[in-house]
Amino acid sequence: MPLRLTPRYLLQRATWFAALVAVAGAGLATAQPAPPPPTPMAPETPSRGAPAEEAPPVSVATPAPIAVPPISEKEVAAAPPPASTEAKPPGVPERRARYDVAVLEALDKVTAESLRFEAAVGRPIRYKSLIFTVKACERSAPDEPIDDSIAYLTVDSQPRPAPGKPPLSPRQTFKGWMYASSPGLHPLEHPVYDAWLITCRAAAPPIASTR
């Protein structure tokens, strides 16, 4: 008698096959072996020749305190100040000798006429239309490198008044120091006249003064 494949029979066969597959999969999952545990690392062995470290002692004896003698007042006194390393100031320079007469020389650039004359300190003296007034005249001190004469003076320009007319007001053309060794260092600037210092001399004994 032939087997009839009814729908009910096919459904039972499918259900049985599905159950068989599920049981087989569960058994396969449980049959897999567990991963091996990690291998512990072996402790490092000291290299040959290097000494092994010793374990510290369990307890260390505390040293006894050292007796210190008392300190006297002399030992705690303030220390003397260190010696100064600054250079000592140089010696006091020698004073210049100051004189009361200046010897000057003037030149007329138009006529080429020159004249050497003396001017006492503090007393104005006229050369043509120039008036010289020396304020100070001194010579260099022995400790200075150059032997020189120096004069401080003023030069005013004041033409002589015409007869019957009042004199004109003076106009200052120079004020400062003149040096006998360097006449061009601080010269008189005038279109007609020129003048320079020759030396300083004393009409009386020289007067010592500061520079």
Side-chain angles (χ1 to χ4, degrees):
M1 180 176 181
L3 181 62
R4 295 179 64 184
L5 300 177
T6 62
R8 184 177 181 181
Y9 175 79
L10 294 176
L11 180 61
Q12 290 178 355
R13 297 292 293 181
T15 303
W16 176 82
F17 182 75
L20 181 61
V21 172
V23 172
L28 181 61
T30 57
Q32 290 181 357
T39 304
M41 298 179 64
E44 296 182 359
T45 57
S47 59
R48 295 182 179 181
E53 296 184 359
E54 297 181 358
V58 177
S59 60
V60 180
T62 304
I66 301 174
V68 180
I71 301 175
S72 62
E73 295 182 358
K74 293 182 180 180
E75 295 176 345
V76 299
S84 176
T85 58
E86 297 179 1
K88 295 182 179 180
V92 179
E94 298 186 26
R95 296 179 178 180
R96 288 177 175 175
R98 183 164 289 188
Y99 298 84
D100 50 8
V101 174
V103 180
L104 304 172
E105 187 166 348
L107 170 67
D108 189 333
K109 300 177 184 179
V110 177
T111 62
E113 177 188 2
S114 63
L115 176 67
R116 181 171 295 188
F117 58 94
E118 295 181 351
V121 174
R123 296 181 58 182
I125 186 170
R126 175 182 287 273
Y127 170 75
K128 297 187 176 182
S129 63
L130 299 181
I131 300 176
F132 296 81
T133 305
V134 179
K135 305 291 184 180
C137 195
E138 56 190 31
R139 297 288 300 271
S140 55
D143 60 343
E144 293 186 82
I146 299 177
D147 184 15
D148 200 1
S149 296
I150 308 101
Y152 185 83
L153 67 156
T154 60
V155 181
D156 298 329
S157 177
Q158 186 183 30
R160 295 180 182 275
K165 293 185 178 181
L168 301 175
S169 299
R171 180 175 57 86
Q172 189 176 85
T173 59
F174 179 85
K175 180 180 180 181
W177 292 92
M178 283 188 177
Y179 300 85
S181 63
S182 304
L185 183 61
H186 196 187
L188 169 68
E189 296 181 357
H190 193 276
V192 179
Y193 303 108
D194 195 4
W196 56 91
L197 174 67
I198 300 299
T199 188
C200 298
R201 74 171 187 83
I207 304 171
S209 65
T210 57
R211 296 183 182 180

